PDB file of all heavy atoms in Angstrom:
ATOM      1  N   ASN A 903      -2.170  -9.163  17.958  1.00 98.00           N
ATOM      2  CA  ASN A 903      -2.319  -7.996  17.075  1.00 98.00           C
ATOM      3  C   ASN A 903      -3.197  -8.268  15.867  1.00 98.00           C
ATOM      4  O   ASN A 903      -3.644  -7.337  15.210  1.00 98.00           O
ATOM      5  CB  ASN A 903      -0.939  -7.467  16.639  1.00 98.00           C
ATOM      6  CG  ASN A 903      -0.114  -8.488  15.880  1.00 98.00           C
ATOM      7  OD1 ASN A 903      -0.260  -9.688  16.094  1.00 98.00           O
ATOM      8  ND2 ASN A 903       0.753  -8.037  15.003  1.00 98.00           N
ATOM      9  N   VAL A 904      -3.435  -9.530  15.547  1.00 98.00           N
ATOM     10  CA  VAL A 904      -4.312  -9.856  14.405  1.00 98.00           C
ATOM     11  C   VAL A 904      -5.524 -10.617  14.938  1.00 98.00           C
ATOM     12  O   VAL A 904      -5.387 -11.673  15.567  1.00 98.00           O
ATOM     13  CB  VAL A 904      -3.564 -10.709  13.352  1.00 98.00           C
ATOM     14  CG1 VAL A 904      -4.490 -11.051  12.192  1.00 98.00           C
ATOM     15  CG2 VAL A 904      -2.329  -9.974  12.849  1.00 98.00           C
ATOM     16  N   SER A 905      -6.715 -10.100  14.699  1.00 98.00           N
ATOM     17  CA  SER A 905      -7.925 -10.715  15.267  1.00 98.00           C
ATOM     18  C   SER A 905      -8.175 -12.097  14.671  1.00 98.00           C
ATOM     19  O   SER A 905      -7.695 -12.425  13.576  1.00 98.00           O
ATOM     20  CB  SER A 905      -9.139  -9.814  15.011  1.00 98.00           C
ATOM     21  OG  SER A 905      -9.495  -9.888  13.643  1.00 98.00           O
ATOM     22  N   SER A 906      -8.952 -12.884  15.393  1.00 98.00           N
ATOM     23  CA  SER A 906      -9.281 -14.232  14.900  1.00 98.00           C
ATOM     24  C   SER A 906     -10.038 -14.144  13.572  1.00 98.00           C
ATOM     25  O   SER A 906      -9.792 -14.913  12.637  1.00 98.00           O
ATOM     26  CB  SER A 906     -10.111 -14.989  15.934  1.00 98.00           C
ATOM     27  OG  SER A 906     -11.213 -14.197  16.328  1.00 98.00           O
ATOM     28  N   ILE A 907     -10.931 -13.165  13.476  1.00 98.00           N
ATOM     29  CA  ILE A 907     -11.732 -13.019  12.256  1.00 98.00           C
ATOM     30  C   ILE A 907     -10.821 -12.664  11.082  1.00 98.00           C
ATOM     31  O   ILE A 907     -10.991 -13.180   9.966  1.00 98.00           O
ATOM     32  CB  ILE A 907     -12.816 -11.924  12.457  1.00 98.00           C
ATOM     33  CG1 ILE A 907     -13.838 -12.379  13.492  1.00 98.00           C
ATOM     34  CG2 ILE A 907     -13.502 -11.569  11.150  1.00 98.00           C
ATOM     35  CD1 ILE A 907     -14.715 -13.530  13.071  1.00 98.00           C
ATOM     36  N   ALA A 908      -9.848 -11.794  11.329  1.00 98.00           N
ATOM     37  CA  ALA A 908      -8.926 -11.423  10.251  1.00 98.00           C
ATOM     38  C   ALA A 908      -8.132 -12.651   9.787  1.00 98.00           C
ATOM     39  O   ALA A 908      -7.931 -12.867   8.583  1.00 98.00           O
ATOM     40  CB  ALA A 908      -7.979 -10.318  10.717  1.00 98.00           C
ATOM     41  N   GLN A 909      -7.702 -13.465  10.725  1.00 98.00           N
ATOM     42  CA  GLN A 909      -6.927 -14.650  10.345  1.00 98.00           C
ATOM     43  C   GLN A 909      -7.783 -15.617   9.516  1.00 98.00           C
ATOM     44  O   GLN A 909      -7.348 -16.141   8.486  1.00 98.00           O
ATOM     45  CB  GLN A 909      -6.416 -15.369  11.595  1.00 98.00           C
ATOM     46  CG  GLN A 909      -5.386 -14.544  12.361  1.00 98.00           C
ATOM     47  CD  GLN A 909      -4.812 -15.275  13.570  1.00 98.00           C
ATOM     48  OE1 GLN A 909      -4.545 -16.469  13.503  1.00 98.00           O
ATOM     49  NE2 GLN A 909      -4.604 -14.552  14.654  1.00 98.00           N
ATOM     50  N   ILE A 910      -9.003 -15.813   9.968  1.00 98.00           N
ATOM     51  CA  ILE A 910      -9.900 -16.757   9.279  1.00 98.00           C
ATOM     52  C   ILE A 910     -10.259 -16.252   7.879  1.00 98.00           C
ATOM     53  O   ILE A 910     -10.231 -16.994   6.896  1.00 98.00           O
ATOM     54  CB  ILE A 910     -11.165 -16.982  10.152  1.00 98.00           C
ATOM     55  CG1 ILE A 910     -10.798 -17.923  11.295  1.00 98.00           C
ATOM     56  CG2 ILE A 910     -12.332 -17.524   9.346  1.00 98.00           C
ATOM     57  CD1 ILE A 910     -11.743 -17.885  12.459  1.00 98.00           C
ATOM     58  N   ALA A 911     -10.556 -14.962   7.805  1.00 98.00           N
ATOM     59  CA  ALA A 911     -10.936 -14.385   6.505  1.00 98.00           C
ATOM     60  C   ALA A 911      -9.740 -14.384   5.553  1.00 98.00           C
ATOM     61  O   ALA A 911      -9.879 -14.671   4.361  1.00 98.00           O
ATOM     62  CB  ALA A 911     -11.449 -12.967   6.697  1.00 98.00           C
ATOM     63  N   GLY A 912      -8.572 -14.064   6.078  1.00 98.00           N
ATOM     64  CA  GLY A 912      -7.366 -14.041   5.243  1.00 98.00           C
ATOM     65  C   GLY A 912      -7.078 -15.413   4.663  1.00 98.00           C
ATOM     66  O   GLY A 912      -6.779 -15.562   3.470  1.00 98.00           O
ATOM     67  N   LEU A 913      -7.202 -16.404   5.522  1.00 98.00           N
ATOM     68  CA  LEU A 913      -6.959 -17.782   5.084  1.00 98.00           C
ATOM     69  C   LEU A 913      -7.928 -18.168   3.960  1.00 98.00           C
ATOM     70  O   LEU A 913      -7.527 -18.740   2.929  1.00 98.00           O
ATOM     71  CB  LEU A 913      -7.168 -18.699   6.301  1.00 98.00           C
ATOM     72  CG  LEU A 913      -6.535 -20.060   6.334  1.00 98.00           C
ATOM     73  CD1 LEU A 913      -5.043 -19.998   6.045  1.00 98.00           C
ATOM     74  CD2 LEU A 913      -6.764 -20.690   7.730  1.00 98.00           C
ATOM     75  N   ALA A 914      -9.195 -17.823   4.140  1.00 98.00           N
ATOM     76  CA  ALA A 914     -10.199 -18.154   3.121  1.00 98.00           C
ATOM     77  C   ALA A 914      -9.925 -17.373   1.838  1.00 98.00           C
ATOM     78  O   ALA A 914     -10.041 -17.906   0.725  1.00 98.00           O
ATOM     79  CB  ALA A 914     -11.599 -17.848   3.645  1.00 98.00           C
ATOM     80  N   ALA A 915      -9.547 -16.101   1.986  1.00 98.00           N
ATOM     81  CA  ALA A 915      -9.309 -15.262   0.803  1.00 98.00           C
ATOM     82  C   ALA A 915      -8.167 -15.823  -0.038  1.00 98.00           C
ATOM     83  O   ALA A 915      -8.207 -15.786  -1.274  1.00 98.00           O
ATOM     84  CB  ALA A 915      -8.992 -13.832   1.236  1.00 98.00           C
ATOM     85  N   LEU A 916      -7.183 -16.370   0.633  1.00 98.00           N
ATOM     86  CA  LEU A 916      -6.024 -16.907  -0.098  1.00 98.00           C
ATOM     87  C   LEU A 916      -6.417 -18.047  -1.029  1.00 98.00           C
ATOM     88  O   LEU A 916      -5.730 -18.320  -2.006  1.00 98.00           O
ATOM     89  CB  LEU A 916      -4.965 -17.429   0.889  1.00 98.00           C
ATOM     90  CG  LEU A 916      -4.071 -16.397   1.568  1.00 98.00           C
ATOM     91  CD1 LEU A 916      -3.102 -17.101   2.509  1.00 98.00           C
ATOM     92  CD2 LEU A 916      -3.318 -15.553   0.553  1.00 98.00           C
ATOM     93  N   SER A 917      -7.522 -18.720  -0.682  1.00 96.00           N
ATOM     94  CA  SER A 917      -7.926 -19.858  -1.518  1.00 96.00           C
ATOM     95  C   SER A 917      -8.998 -19.481  -2.531  1.00 96.00           C
ATOM     96  O   SER A 917      -9.493 -20.326  -3.277  1.00 96.00           O
ATOM     97  CB  SER A 917      -8.426 -21.004  -0.631  1.00 96.00           C
ATOM     98  OG  SER A 917      -9.649 -20.611  -0.042  1.00 96.00           O
ATOM     99  N   ASP A 918      -9.388 -18.204  -2.554  1.00 96.00           N
ATOM    100  CA  ASP A 918     -10.477 -17.804  -3.454  1.00 96.00           C
ATOM    101  C   ASP A 918      -9.907 -17.374  -4.810  1.00 96.00           C
ATOM    102  O   ASP A 918      -9.945 -16.196  -5.188  1.00 96.00           O
ATOM    103  CB  ASP A 918     -11.323 -16.695  -2.819  1.00 96.00           C
ATOM    104  CG  ASP A 918     -12.762 -16.734  -3.310  1.00 96.00           C
ATOM    105  OD1 ASP A 918     -12.962 -17.191  -4.466  1.00 96.00           O
ATOM    106  OD2 ASP A 918     -13.667 -16.306  -2.576  1.00 96.00           O
ATOM    107  N   ASP A 919      -9.399 -18.345  -5.544  1.00 96.00           N
ATOM    108  CA  ASP A 919      -8.706 -18.027  -6.801  1.00 96.00           C
ATOM    109  C   ASP A 919      -9.623 -17.366  -7.831  1.00 96.00           C
ATOM    110  O   ASP A 919      -9.193 -16.493  -8.581  1.00 96.00           O
ATOM    111  CB  ASP A 919      -8.100 -19.306  -7.406  1.00 96.00           C
ATOM    112  CG  ASP A 919      -6.983 -19.849  -6.527  1.00 96.00           C
ATOM    113  OD1 ASP A 919      -6.409 -19.050  -5.762  1.00 96.00           O
ATOM    114  OD2 ASP A 919      -6.703 -21.059  -6.593  1.00 96.00           O
ATOM    115  N   ASP A 920     -10.898 -17.791  -7.855  1.00 96.00           N
ATOM    116  CA  ASP A 920     -11.826 -17.222  -8.853  1.00 96.00           C
ATOM    117  C   ASP A 920     -11.978 -15.717  -8.635  1.00 96.00           C
ATOM    118  O   ASP A 920     -11.991 -14.926  -9.582  1.00 96.00           O
ATOM    119  CB  ASP A 920     -13.218 -17.859  -8.739  1.00 96.00           C
ATOM    120  CG  ASP A 920     -13.193 -19.295  -9.191  1.00 96.00           C
ATOM    121  OD1 ASP A 920     -12.168 -19.707  -9.777  1.00 96.00           O
ATOM    122  OD2 ASP A 920     -14.180 -20.014  -8.924  1.00 96.00           O
ATOM    123  N   PHE A 921     -12.089 -15.354  -7.358  1.00 97.00           N
ATOM    124  CA  PHE A 921     -12.264 -13.938  -7.019  1.00 97.00           C
ATOM    125  C   PHE A 921     -11.055 -13.125  -7.483  1.00 97.00           C
ATOM    126  O   PHE A 921     -11.196 -12.072  -8.098  1.00 97.00           O
ATOM    127  CB  PHE A 921     -12.448 -13.796  -5.500  1.00 97.00           C
ATOM    128  CG  PHE A 921     -12.566 -12.371  -5.030  1.00 97.00           C
ATOM    129  CD1 PHE A 921     -13.795 -11.719  -5.037  1.00 97.00           C
ATOM    130  CD2 PHE A 921     -11.450 -11.671  -4.582  1.00 97.00           C
ATOM    131  CE1 PHE A 921     -13.908 -10.405  -4.606  1.00 97.00           C
ATOM    132  CE2 PHE A 921     -11.548 -10.351  -4.163  1.00 97.00           C
ATOM    133  CZ  PHE A 921     -12.789  -9.717  -4.173  1.00 97.00           C
ATOM    134  N   ILE A 922      -9.861 -13.656  -7.202  1.00 97.00           N
ATOM    135  CA  ILE A 922      -8.638 -12.917  -7.536  1.00 97.00           C
ATOM    136  C   ILE A 922      -8.498 -12.802  -9.065  1.00 97.00           C
ATOM    137  O   ILE A 922      -8.177 -11.732  -9.593  1.00 97.00           O
ATOM    138  CB  ILE A 922      -7.386 -13.623  -6.936  1.00 97.00           C
ATOM    139  CG1 ILE A 922      -7.533 -13.758  -5.414  1.00 97.00           C
ATOM    140  CG2 ILE A 922      -6.100 -12.880  -7.298  1.00 97.00           C
ATOM    141  CD1 ILE A 922      -7.683 -12.475  -4.656  1.00 97.00           C
ATOM    142  N   THR A 923      -8.763 -13.908  -9.763  1.00 97.00           N
ATOM    143  CA  THR A 923      -8.650 -13.885 -11.224  1.00 97.00           C
ATOM    144  C   THR A 923      -9.598 -12.849 -11.815  1.00 97.00           C
ATOM    145  O   THR A 923      -9.226 -12.053 -12.689  1.00 97.00           O
ATOM    146  CB  THR A 923      -8.996 -15.286 -11.802  1.00 97.00           C
ATOM    147  OG1 THR A 923      -8.180 -16.229 -11.136  1.00 97.00           O
ATOM    148  CG2 THR A 923      -8.770 -15.364 -13.292  1.00 97.00           C
ATOM    149  N   ARG A 924     -10.817 -12.838 -11.301  1.00 97.00           N
ATOM    150  CA  ARG A 924     -11.816 -11.885 -11.817  1.00 97.00           C
ATOM    151  C   ARG A 924     -11.381 -10.448 -11.516  1.00 97.00           C
ATOM    152  O   ARG A 924     -11.450  -9.568 -12.384  1.00 97.00           O
ATOM    153  CB  ARG A 924     -13.169 -12.196 -11.150  1.00 97.00           C
ATOM    154  CG  ARG A 924     -14.256 -11.238 -11.506  1.00 97.00           C
ATOM    155  CD  ARG A 924     -15.613 -11.727 -10.981  1.00 97.00           C
ATOM    156  NE  ARG A 924     -16.600 -10.687 -11.129  1.00 97.00           N
ATOM    157  CZ  ARG A 924     -17.277 -10.138 -10.128  1.00 97.00           C
ATOM    158  NH1 ARG A 924     -17.084 -10.550  -8.888  1.00 97.00           N
ATOM    159  NH2 ARG A 924     -18.156  -9.194 -10.346  1.00 97.00           N
TER     160      ARG A 924
END
Side-chain angles (χ1 to χ4, degrees):
N903 60 331
V904 179
S905 73
S906 52
I907 293 292
Q909 293 183 40
I910 283 161
L913 202 52
L916 281 180
S917 69
D918 209 331
D919 293 337
D920 290 349
F921 177 85
I922 302 300
T923 307
R924 176 171 170 240

